[in-house]
């Protein structure tokens, strides 16, 4: 069971990594959905640290001409690695990064990995996403850099000189991806030998989400590790979470998503969270923002039996 935490909210208004505009409004939407009150109402401390701003970097031009906003994303990565490291200080700290597109994870993962290394503990990552985001700068065909953070954080090649030196690294065998259902050929080939555990939606349909998650959580517990949860809106089925620019049919249901969060709460292992890819411009009367806040509340101790009735 999770003990009371000191939750630190960090807004990340980045949209440079996504294929369409709107994610920069994500932090404001989470605040409008009353994320701070939801956390405080569960007995946790909460501090809103405001929004992170990118640092100015000027990497050289890259040979892959499709890459978009490389200097900007590199600047966000540097700023977020520092912010994640600072916000994760203290035994009860639980930083919550409110995105913003998933390129932000290049910074959060590496900054948190630095903190874990200095504390002598392993950092594990539960990646809840329709996409593995395992492209390198060379392999990306879309040029959208929200598709590279996991590759960068696990030490795949080709980032030197373009992204800042990684503050810390994630061991691929410490990563579990769930909900995957959209993988490019280059990513598929790289993932086969990566050591990352991948549970796509077919696997979840066959075995159920609880047994698959339970095995990973046991591994984290046995290692006395820290656990970072990176929750992308497109992990969820677009029927319940329309406010995202990369809709992929067949995502997690309302019940599956809340079960994951309640299981995470029961372990008490979670030490940090990303909430990413919320695009309020595409949402319907805030329903996706509210659902994401409710999922965070389940992770922090609200039971699905206490889920509020709402009319939209």
């Amino acid at each position: 069971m999770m003990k009371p935490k000191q939750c630190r909210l960090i807004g990340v208004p980045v949209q440079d990594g996504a294929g369409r505009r709107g994610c920069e409004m994500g932090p404001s939407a989470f605040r409008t959905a009353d994320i701070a009150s939801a956390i405080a109402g569960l007995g946790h401390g909460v501090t809103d640290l405001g929004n992170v701003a990118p640092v100015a970097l000027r990497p050289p031009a890259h040979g892959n001409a499709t890459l978009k906003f490389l200097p900007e994303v590199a600047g966000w990565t540097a700023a977020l690695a520092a912010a994640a490291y600072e916000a994760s200080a203290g035994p009860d700290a639980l930083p919550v990064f409110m995105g913003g597109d998933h390129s932000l994870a290049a910074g959060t993962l590496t900054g948190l990995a630095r903190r874990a290394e200095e504390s002598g503990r392993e950092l594990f990552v539960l990646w809840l996403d329709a996409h593995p985001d395992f492209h390198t700068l060379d392999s990306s065909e879309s040029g959208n850099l929200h598709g590279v953070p996991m590759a960068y954080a696990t030490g795949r090649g080709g980032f030197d000189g373009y992204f800042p030196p990684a503050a810390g690294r994630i061991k691929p065998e410490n990563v579990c991806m769930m909900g995957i259902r959209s993988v490019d050929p280059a990513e598929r080939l790289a993932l086969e030998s990566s050591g990352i555990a991948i549970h796509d939606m077919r696997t979840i349909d066959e075995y159920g989400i609880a047994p698959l998650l339970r095995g990973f959580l046991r591994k984290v517990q046995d290692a006395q590790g820290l656990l970072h949860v990176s929750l992308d809106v497109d992990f969820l089925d677009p029927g319940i979470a329309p406010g995202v620019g990369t809709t992929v049919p067949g995502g997690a249901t309302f019940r599956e998503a809340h079960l994951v969060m309640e299981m995470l709460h029961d372990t008490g292992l979670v030490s940090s969270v990303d909430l990413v890819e919320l695009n309020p411009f595409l949402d319907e009367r805030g329903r996706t923002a509210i659902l994401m806040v409710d999922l965070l509340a389940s992770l922090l101790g609200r039971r699905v039996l206490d889920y509020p009735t709402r009319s939209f």
Side-chain angles (χ1 to χ4, degrees):
M1 196 71 66
M2 182 178 288
K3 297 177 181 178
K5 296 287 188 178
Q6 295 300 316
C7 296
R8 295 165 182 169
L9 301 178
I10 301 106
V12 190
V14 55
Q15 64 182 8
D16 297 315
R20 61 194 304 173
R21 300 169 68 86
C23 282
E24 70 173 358
M25 299 185 288
S28 294
F30 283 121
R31 292 183 174 109
T32 302
D34 222 1
I35 189 170
S37 293
I39 295 169
L42 294 165
H44 302 282
V46 57
T47 306
D48 192 332
L49 300 178
N51 289 350
V52 175
V55 300
L57 294 180
R58 292 194 174 186
H62 194 275
N64 183 350
T66 67
L67 297 182
K68 302 164 188 170
F69 301 110
L70 178 56
E72 290 82 357
V73 174
W76 280 106
T77 299
L80 280 162
Y85 175 76
E86 293 298 328
S88 57
D92 299 325
L94 197 156
V96 177
F97 302 94
M98 305 180 296
D101 70 68
H102 220 160
S103 67
L104 70 83
T108 60
L109 289 175
T110 51
L112 294 167
R114 176 189 170 196
R115 174 67 65 188
E117 289 168 9
E118 290 184 4
S119 66
R121 298 176 70 183
E122 295 276 314
L123 180 64
F124 292 78
V125 180
L126 179 61
W127 188 262
L128 302 172
D129 197 333
H131 309 87
D133 296 347
F134 207 57
H135 273 295
T136 65
L137 299 180
D138 294 308
S139 71
S140 175
E141 295 182 1
S142 71
N144 297 323
L145 292 177
H146 64 175
V148 308
M150 185 56 75
Y152 168 74
T154 54
R156 293 193 70 198
F159 291 93
D160 290 351
Y162 301 101
F163 270 44
R169 295 288 190 195
I170 308 292
K171 294 180 181 178
E173 60 269 26
N174 287 356
V175 179
C176 177
M177 296 182 171
M178 303 193 81
I180 303 296
R181 57 195 188 279
S182 179
V183 185
D184 292 336
E187 292 178 298
R188 186 182 301 277
L189 185 63
L191 285 165
E192 286 176 357
S193 58
S194 69
I196 292 173
I198 302 171
H199 302 309
D200 62 12
M201 288 309 298
R202 172 173 176 169
T203 308
I204 290 171
D205 287 342
E206 284 193 46
Y207 297 98
I209 205 163
L212 299 171
L213 179 59
R214 194 174 293 121
F216 176 65
L217 294 178
R218 192 177 300 117
K219 181 179 177 181
V220 181
Q221 205 151 26
D222 290 346
Q224 296 184 320
L226 301 169
L227 178 56
H228 177 68
V229 177
S230 199
L231 173 60
D232 189 311
V233 171
D234 69 22
F235 167 71
L236 305 164
D237 190 83
I240 61 170
V244 64
T246 52
T247 54
V248 184
T253 66
F254 176 91
R255 294 200 306 267
E256 286 172 330
H258 274 286
L259 175 59
V260 168
M261 296 301 146
E262 291 192 4
M263 289 177 66
L264 289 169
H265 171 75
D266 290 346
T267 68
L269 294 169
V270 177
S271 55
S272 50
V273 178
D274 296 330
L275 303 174
V276 301
E277 294 288 350
L278 173 64
N279 188 329
F281 190 74
L282 304 174
D283 205 1
E284 299 171 0
R285 300 175 64 184
R287 64 184 293 207
T288 307
I290 292 168
L291 175 55
M292 290 287 279
V293 169
D294 285 338
L295 289 171
L296 178 66
S298 286
L299 189 154
L300 294 173
R302 182 194 288 167
R303 312 304 296 179
V304 76
L305 289 172
D306 302 323
Y307 193 83
T309 298
R310 292 195 178 95
S311 299
F312 288 95

